[in-house]
Amino acid sequence: MTNATATIARQAHYSVTAAASEPASPTRTQTGALKSWKDTMSSRLALMAFVVLGVSGALADDMKMPMNGKNIKWGPAPPFFPKGAEFAVLSGDPGKDGLYVVRLKMPAGYKIPAHNHPTTENVTVVSGNFHIGMGDHLDEKKGFELTSGGYGEAPAKMNHYAWVTSPTIVQVHGQGPFAITYVNPADDPSTKK
């Protein structure tokens, strides 16, 4: 125990003499250490603020203008969706690698047969009654109803299906490219003439 005490005392003495040329009292040691800590933290905070401001400026250049729902530009859904739905791209490009956010507006009675995606699909219900089920064919007895604010997630390659019972808008986001593979190829509307 004596050796441990002597070692600690020597370490403290060496660190104090390295920090100051004159013998220091415990109060001076604490003040010097506190000043050194403050200087280090001030430098780090200044650097961090500079980096954050620089990154914020770069992100602001890429940021899309915010919009309200009434300003969303809708168009026909891509041909791999059954006819009757409308589609809007809010962010990204769902056809390319990268994050995307899209919305799908569906009339009452609209159905999407069993299908899967190569990446996870995240769905948030904006309005209406969206039903989702897991399996190889659309079965309205086995689905789960999501209402406004509801959320569902279909992992990559998991077969699922959907239908709506009222006019419904869902927001889908994920990692692109977005693709859809129907369990029964005959259900793929893009192959029908």
Side-chain angles (χ1 to χ4, degrees):
M1 191 176 270
T2 307
N3 289 338
T5 305
T7 305
I8 292 171
R10 279 189 213 135
Q11 288 176 346
H13 174 71
Y14 290 132
S15 63
V16 170
T17 51
S21 58
E22 62 184 75
S25 68
T27 305
R28 262 194 210 172
T29 304
Q30 290 175 356
T31 304
L34 182 59
K35 183 178 181 328
S36 175
W37 179 81
K38 283 183 179 179
D39 289 344
T40 301
M41 291 310 292
S42 293
S43 297
R44 287 182 181 171
L45 288 173
L47 178 61
M48 198 163 40
F50 177 73
V51 168
V52 168
L53 290 174
V55 169
S56 295
L59 291 178
D61 292 342
D62 294 338
M63 183 177 163
K64 283 186 159 190
M65 287 302 296
M67 72 178 94
N68 286 307
K70 66 182 180 181
N71 298 326
I72 293 174
K73 302 218 183 316
W74 294 94
F80 48 77
F81 283 106
K83 290 186 189 238
E86 292 180 71
F87 193 77
V89 176
L90 301 183
S91 180
D93 182 343
K96 295 182 179 175
D97 188 29
L99 296 175
Y100 68 86
V101 180
V102 298
R103 286 198 180 168
L104 186 65
K105 185 190 296 187
M106 301 160 282
Y110 188 81
K111 296 178 181 180
I112 304 173
H115 62 279
N116 64 64
H117 308 280
T119 59
T120 298
E121 179 183 48
N122 304 281
V123 179
T124 303
V125 179
V126 175
S127 64
N129 302 81
F130 184 75
H131 302 259
I132 187 168
M134 303 301 165
D136 294 341
H137 63 280
L138 195 149
D139 185 348
E140 293 183 24
K141 294 177 188 148
K142 295 184 179 177
F144 185 82
E145 181 180 28
L146 296 172
T147 57
S148 182
Y151 172 79
E153 183 177 304
K157 304 287 186 188
M158 176 177 272
N159 292 342
H160 59 284
Y161 50 88
W163 75 97
V164 300
T165 52
S166 65
T168 300
I169 298 173
V170 296
Q171 181 165 298
V172 180
H173 71 275
Q175 180 71 31
F178 177 87
I180 186 168
T181 302
Y182 287 90
V183 175
N184 179 354
D187 289 335
D188 184 347
S190 67
T191 62
K192 297 176 183 175
K193 297 188 183 206

